[in-house]
Amino acid sequence: MIINHPLLGPRDSSEFTYLGDASLIDRPDWQAENAAEAFYEYGYLRDNPAGKHQELWFHEAGDRSWLVVTRDTTTHEISKVELARDLARARGRSK
Amino acid sequence: MRYSGFRVIKEALTGHKGWKPVWRDPEPKAHYDIIVIGGGGHGLATAHYLSKVYGQRNVAVVEKGWIGGGNVGRNTTIVRSNYMLDGNEPFYEFSMKLWEGLEQDLNYNAMMSQRGIINLFHTDGQRDAYIRRGNAMILNGADAELLDADQVRKEHPYLNFDDARFPIKGGLVQRRGGTARHDAVAWGYARSADTHGVDIIQNCEVTGLRIENGKCLGVETSKGFIGANKVGCAVAGNSGRVMGMAGMRMPIESHVLQAFVSEGLKPVLPSVITYGAGHFYVSQSDKGGLVFGGDLDGYNTYAQRGNLPVVEDVCEGGVSLMPMIGRARLLRMWGGVMDMSMDGSPIIDRTPVEGLYFNGGWCYGGFKATPASGHCFAHLLAKDEPHPTTTVYRLDRFRTGRMIDEKGVGNQPNLH
């Protein structure tokens, strides 16, 4: 698979390591009432869809940026690559 | 029809006209006591033990394609019970014992071959870990034997012992481990289940689960609705999809594992061998091909094919372990979709939906578990309580912190 890095252009996927579903960006609030339940779901439950999947890739052998890749899990086709930083900030994280 | 040597001779003398199809091709009834979703190894084994051991006569297996067309036909056929943790070893040893009696039980030649399996170690630390694992196996009634480098050299003289980086220091052997003919396992279970009255319904895809007031009433399929008192889901690889129909998120990711076969060679490997420094395991099939595999590709996928970096990695591991295979040509490669669970161990349990039961999360250990998985899932479906060896394979163990993490890598499914 070739991942089209937003800063570096097309890079081979073997330069990256894979973390998992991009929902891992949305870490729950540890002080909330339901924190235990929220962290259980955050840590252990996954949508695991067959089709479009947003996922976190780390450019370990490159510029060490985190990317959010939108990829079809039935065809491996990559439709979108974003910097995870931009996505997290857009959701109000890490201001 | 019972298979025997006499039957083979009789058929040989009469032009092989007496062989009959070994399972029927029935239309689904309107209602069953128990429906098993998935006509793979585990689903068919479940049907066999439900009908033969637990006396259930009104059972159906529904399969979207043809039976045995999924992971039971796509694995590397290795059978072993060399686990360490208390939650795993009794279960896998139970499975090993069922393997040993499988062919007599099914009256079917599954080509079970207890040729042994050796896990090689390359450092003192790894040796100590294997000693610990071997002792855990022996405590649970399995067999384990530690070999030093000279003993390994006697049995496997062709290995790369004096590698500068990863010299072979010895190995942990389970003599009772080995291989079985994967397709024959599926067919043997199917034949036996059919003989005991189970309806095996192929080309019948489950498209939905009918759930009312928190109770599962049956399955919607491409052949219409089929009612059931209990529905068991044994679709490892696609658990996310099927359980998603019940609105459940699972502690599972689907990943692809690739496997490979070389061209046929003369007998070179006396047993199953696993490399301790890279991820590579290999055995030789009865046709002569080297059957081998390695790591997952490492990303979520439902495509039954992988990518080239892993092919390269696996072949590098193989050649560094046994340089003699460097000139062998690769004949075929394929991928199977694995249910990778959050702790690397399986799940056999009830679900929050009444009448819906789940069997999955087999990671890449599903084949060796086939008989015990079927037996224990049948126990759960028939008696509504877990089999003694699977009481810890709970669906909610991640909520309660009772993980069974053999490798100790945490909730990172692609590392198990």
Side-chain angles (χ1 to χ4, degrees):
Chain A
M1 288 187 296
I2 303 290
I3 295 176
N4 196 6
H5 193 296
L7 303 177
L8 304 175
R11 310 298 306 180
D12 193 287
S13 65
S14 61
E15 294 177 6
F16 296 77
T17 55
Y18 178 84
L19 183 68
D21 196 308
S23 66
L24 291 170
I25 291 174
D26 305 316
R27 185 189 294 272
D29 176 8
W30 64 277
Q31 288 177 309
E33 280 284 304
N34 64 344
E37 183 65 20
F39 269 98
Y40 159 65
E41 290 184 10
Y42 172 79
Y44 295 109
L45 300 186
R46 298 287 180 268
D47 287 338
N48 195 21
K52 283 262 165 75
H53 187 229
Q54 277 201 318
E55 53 203 21
L56 285 163
W57 291 74
F58 177 53
H59 199 190
E60 188 176 33
D63 71 344
R64 305 185 76 76
S65 58
W66 282 95
L67 304 182
V68 172
V69 176
T70 307
R71 193 177 54 93
D72 191 313
T73 58
T74 58
T75 62
H76 297 169
E77 187 190 356
I78 294 172
S79 51
K80 198 171 176 187
V81 183
E82 301 151 276
L83 285 171
R85 184 181 60 194
D86 295 346
L87 213 97
R89 281 189 176 147
R91 291 186 196 174
R93 291 277 318 279
S94 305
K95 276 173 187 164
Chain B
M1 181 198 297
R2 212 182 145 70
Y3 293 156
S4 67
F6 290 117
R7 167 68 69 174
V8 173
I9 294 165
K10 180 170 175 253
E11 292 298 334
L13 297 173
T14 55
H16 291 289
K17 293 196 177 104
W19 302 118
K20 297 276 187 308
V22 295
W23 53 79
R24 297 162 294 132
D25 191 16
E27 282 303 307
K29 291 191 268 184
H31 190 274
Y32 291 92
D33 291 342
I34 298 173
I35 289 178
V36 179
I37 306 173
H42 292 221
L44 294 167
T46 304
H48 161 78
Y49 292 108
L50 269 175
S51 55
K52 188 169 177 184
V53 178
Y54 295 100
Q56 299 290 328
R57 287 285 176 261
N58 192 15
V59 177
V61 175
V62 293
E63 162 58 43
K64 75 172 170 184
W66 61 91
I67 57 168
N71 287 338
V72 74
R74 308 178 82 87
N75 54 74
T76 47
T77 76
I78 297 168
V79 172
R80 59 186 173 89
S81 66
N82 52 359
Y83 284 72
M84 189 181 77
L85 296 182
D86 282 345
N88 280 328
E89 184 58 18
F91 172 80
Y92 285 103
E93 179 52 24
F94 177 50
S95 197
M96 192 71 230
K97 292 202 169 76
L98 289 174
W99 278 113
E100 288 174 324
L102 185 71
E103 292 166 322
Q104 298 305 319
D105 184 26
L106 298 180
N107 177 232
Y108 203 88
N109 182 8
M111 294 167 67
M112 177 67 191
S113 162
Q114 291 182 290
R115 59 185 68 179
I117 175 167
I118 181 164
N119 301 130
L120 299 170
F121 58 80
H122 308 266
T123 64
D124 293 351
Q126 210 173 14
R127 177 199 59 209
D128 294 348
Y130 280 180
I131 291 173
R132 185 178 174 212
R133 197 208 292 189
N135 283 332
M137 291 161 65
I138 292 166
L139 283 173
N140 283 293
D143 64 306
E145 196 181 321
L146 197 79
L147 303 187
D148 63 22
D150 287 339
Q151 289 167 304
V152 176
R153 201 185 286 267
K154 238 176 240 165
E155 293 181 23
H156 304 280
Y158 47 82
L159 295 177
N160 187 12
F161 284 88
D162 302 319
D163 185 87
R165 181 70 183 84
F166 300 113
I168 294 170
K169 301 248 186 169
L172 181 70
V173 180
Q174 184 178 28
R175 302 271 179 211
R176 288 158 66 236
T179 60
R181 168 92 167 92
H182 52 351
D183 294 323
V185 174
W187 299 332
Y189 275 125
R191 170 171 170 266
S192 172
D194 182 86
T195 309
H196 290 92
V198 173
D199 282 357
I200 298 170
I201 304 158
Q202 306 186 65
N203 299 311
C204 180
E205 182 172 358
V206 170
T207 53
L209 296 164
R210 188 176 289 182
I211 297 169
E212 282 172 21
N213 300 323
K215 185 171 180 357
C216 186
L217 304 177
V219 294
E220 309 280 356
T221 74
S222 51
K223 294 190 177 182
F225 174 75
I226 311 174
N229 299 341
K230 293 175 182 173
V231 175
C233 175
V235 296
N238 283 300
S239 295
R241 270 170 161 169
V242 177
M243 298 309 279
M245 295 173 190
M248 265 179 241
R249 296 174 79 217
M250 304 301 286
I252 286 169
E253 287 179 2
S254 294
H255 285 260
V256 67
L257 180 67
Q258 301 191 62
F260 311 84
V261 177
S262 79
E263 59 188 326
L265 305 171
K266 287 187 175 179
V268 286
L269 300 187
S271 76
V272 183
I273 302 173
T274 76
Y275 189 23
H279 201 157
F280 176 80
Y281 46 89
V282 60
S283 64
Q284 188 167 23
S285 79
D286 293 346
K287 282 194 287 188
L290 302 178
V291 184
F292 57 97
D295 268 323
L296 296 171
D297 270 42
Y299 43 80
N300 282 47
T301 175
Y302 284 91
Q304 287 176 316
R305 58 186 168 76
N307 272 299
L308 289 172
V310 170
V311 178
E312 189 179 12
D313 183 64
V314 171
C315 292
E316 278 173 0
V319 172
S320 73
L321 176 66
M322 41 181 85
M324 68 168 180
I325 66 171
R327 304 297 283 273
R329 278 162 294 197
L330 202 60
L331 190 67
R332 287 183 289 128
M333 51 195 259
W334 65 92
V337 180
M338 313 282 122
D339 263 14
M340 295 305 297
S341 70
M342 286 288 165
D343 61 357
S345 295
I347 296 160
I348 301 178
D349 201 2
R350 304 181 192 101
T351 70
V353 177
E354 195 188 333
L356 180 62
Y357 299 76
F358 179 72
N359 172 334
W362 289 100
C363 300
Y364 33 67
F367 181 69
K368 75 178 88 70
T370 304
S373 166
H375 198 292
C376 297
F377 199 37
H379 187 283
L380 178 69
L381 283 164
K383 301 190 168 204
D384 224 9
E385 62 186 52
H387 188 273
T389 60
T390 58
T391 49
V392 293
Y393 289 159
R394 299 282 302 270
L395 179 57
D396 68 350
R397 65 176 182 265
F398 304 97
R399 189 198 300 269
T400 55
R402 291 177 172 84
M403 273 67 93
I404 311 161
D405 194 339
E406 194 80 27
K407 213 168 161 189
V409 292
N411 58 346
Q412 190 61 44
N414 61 352
L415 298 182
H416 283 293

